[in-house]
Amino acid sequence: MNNKFFPSNFLFILIMIMGTMTTLSSPHWLTMWVGLELNLMGFLPLMNIKGKSLEAEASMKYFIIQSMSSSVLIMSSLMLYNYNMSWYSMFNHKILSSLMLMSLILKLGGAPLHFWLPNLTKQMTWLILFLILTWQKIAPLFMITLITNMSTMILISLLSTLIGSIMILNQTNMQLIITYSSISHLGWMLSMIMINSSLTLIYFINYIIISVPLMYMLNMYTNNYLYTLTQKNKINKLIIPSLILSLAGLPPLLGFMSKLLILISLMQMNFIIMTLLLFVGALISLFFYLNMTLMTTIKSYFLFEDPTMLKNNNMIFMLNIFSIFIFYFMINIIIKYAMTFLH
């Protein structure tokens, strides 16, 4: 597995994709669980793509956490089936449904069960980190939409947003910064997942659109530490700051559109305290992101020009800068008609 183009890696990628698709297309809890296990079995070899000891340690930790979560998930499913004698309507028992929900939150790495995720991300490549923070969340998020436990979900979403925003302060490792940012964004997604899952999907897609170019540039041009952001040249002077501020949700960038949709929807449903706490979490993280932006724009020193940085990134920049104007009519349509479509 030392060669990243080893032919079996394509097989593992297909198994990982097939596992997620099995979970998304399944009407039955047992086959959803089988899809999660297929996804795990395909993803674990990809974590050892370079054959380093740190990667082996991270993959073993990931396997233990995911196996524990899957064990709790299948045991709570069996107990709920024994309680209701049905695989399709199983959420009358509040304690068991909360147990199933917490097992999925452990898979996602949401607070207060986020302790394992930062320990893993420091030992990973950027590609594997991107997969864990995006693709590996699709199936558990879909399964959470089927569980009705509103009070527990509100508490988890607020904890994820606030803990992710507070823990990102004073971090210097770029992988840890992206990880805690993902935990904070997960809280925003979970805040709407039981009310209007279409808004959660929009938020998730926007997060991927922002994360792909940002992680690519951090992988290419930084040394995994925050101070290396001061080494950018003039070509990259606006692209990385725009992506960082978009991730923070500063208007009028792309990340602001997602948070605006969720804030307006929560206020329309009179979740005032929840809206206020989410807003406070966003402000705390914005303070740190503005410091990062300051490091990229007001530089302490320059390095030699890198010809690989002369690539055309105008589309990324334009999408983030003018997204609020491009998607303005879409925002109005979603706010006015999303709840009508669901009901």
Side-chain angles (χ1 to χ4, degrees):
M1 292 294 289
N2 291 331
N3 187 356
K4 67 171 68 175
F5 301 108
F6 199 73
S8 63
N9 289 339
F10 295 104
L11 174 63
F12 296 137
I13 292 172
L14 288 177
I15 293 173
M16 181 184 72
I17 295 173
M18 185 177 66
T20 301
M21 293 303 163
T22 302
T23 302
L24 296 180
S25 60
S26 174
H28 198 284
W29 279 95
L30 276 181
T31 45
M32 288 182 190
W33 173 75
V34 170
L36 289 175
E37 297 306 304
L38 273 177
N39 174 268
L40 177 62
M41 292 301 105
F43 185 69
L44 281 174
L46 296 177
M47 294 181 69
N48 293 286
I49 198 167
K50 292 184 177 179
K52 295 181 179 179
S53 58
L54 288 178
E55 289 182 343
E57 179 186 348
S59 63
M60 185 56 65
K61 290 179 181 177
Y62 187 76
F63 173 73
I64 292 171
I65 293 294
Q66 297 296 314
S67 299
M68 183 171 63
S69 172
S70 297
S71 301
V72 175
L73 177 66
I74 193 63
M75 290 303 297
S76 57
S77 300
L78 290 172
M79 287 188 286
L80 277 168
Y81 172 75
N82 187 44
Y83 180 77
N84 289 320
M85 299 307 294
S86 171
W87 285 107
Y88 301 98
S89 178
M90 310 190 309
F91 302 110
N92 297 328
H93 198 289
K94 189 172 183 179
I95 296 176
L96 292 177
S97 62
S98 297
L99 190 62
M100 181 182 288
L101 178 61
M102 295 307 289
S103 68
L104 293 173
I105 295 299
L106 180 61
K107 276 189 174 294
L108 288 169
L113 303 175
H114 66 287
F115 53 88
W116 61 273
L117 190 56
N119 290 329
L120 261 65
T121 53
K122 290 187 293 186
Q123 304 164 1
M124 292 178 183
T125 60
W126 282 98
L127 176 61
I128 301 302
L129 176 62
F130 172 75
L131 290 176
I132 282 186
L133 298 183
T134 53
W135 181 264
Q136 295 298 98
K137 290 185 178 181
I138 296 175
L141 281 173
F142 169 74
M143 295 175 72
I144 286 176
T145 59
L146 307 176
I147 302 175
T148 55
N149 196 332
M150 192 67 186
S151 57
T152 306
M153 183 55 65
I154 289 175
L155 180 62
I156 291 171
S157 65
L158 290 177
L159 282 175
S160 297
T161 303
L162 293 174
I163 290 177
S165 300
I166 292 170
M167 292 297 292
I168 201 174
L169 301 175
N170 296 327
Q171 295 291 339
T172 57
N173 189 295
M174 290 302 302
Q175 291 169 319
L176 286 178
I177 290 170
I178 297 298
T179 301
Y180 284 118
S181 171
S182 174
I183 294 172
S184 178
H185 285 289
L186 179 64
W188 282 84
M189 287 185 250
L190 294 177
S191 65
M192 285 298 295
I193 198 166
M194 291 186 180
I195 303 168
N196 189 348
S197 57
S198 61
L199 294 184
T200 300
L201 179 62
I202 292 172
Y203 195 105
F204 188 69
I205 291 173
N206 288 341
Y207 176 72
I208 293 176
I209 292 174
I210 299 167
S211 298
V212 169
L214 179 60
M215 292 192 188
Y216 170 76
M217 290 185 175
L218 293 177
N219 180 35
M220 293 293 292
Y221 309 128
T222 65
N223 194 21
N224 293 348
Y225 286 97
L226 191 59
Y227 72 90
T228 53
L229 288 177
T230 62
Q231 302 173 7
K232 301 299 103 185
N233 60 20
K234 295 180 181 179
I235 299 297
N236 210 26
K237 192 171 183 179
L238 290 177
I239 296 173
I240 285 185
S242 70
L243 292 170
I244 291 173
L245 292 176
S246 183
L247 200 64
L250 189 73
L253 303 176
L254 180 60
F256 171 71
M257 186 191 76
S258 309
K259 293 186 177 180
L260 179 67
L261 286 173
I262 291 179
L263 288 175
I264 291 175
S265 300
L266 288 173
M267 285 189 291
Q268 287 178 345
M269 288 178 288
N270 293 324
F271 290 144
I272 305 300
I273 302 299
M274 185 178 181
T275 305
L276 181 62
L277 291 175
L278 288 174
F279 191 71
V280 168
L283 288 178
I284 295 171
S285 60
L286 181 60
F287 167 75
F288 181 79
Y289 286 123
L290 287 173
N291 284 336
M292 289 179 63
T293 308
L294 192 66
M295 296 182 69
T296 60
T297 54
I298 305 175
K299 302 172 179 61
S300 58
Y301 57 91
F302 289 89
L303 292 183
F304 294 105
E305 297 284 333
D306 186 357
T308 62
M309 299 184 67
L310 300 177
K311 295 180 180 179
N312 187 7
N313 293 302
N314 288 334
M315 286 299 296
I316 299 170
F317 182 67
M318 297 293 287
L319 179 64
N320 278 282
I321 291 295
F322 298 108
S323 60
I324 195 67
F325 305 108
I326 296 171
F327 297 111
Y328 177 75
F329 297 104
M330 185 191 304
I331 293 173
N332 285 332
I333 292 171
I334 291 171
I335 291 174
K336 289 181 180 179
Y337 300 110
M339 298 304 292
T340 306
F341 291 151
L342 289 176
H343 291 288

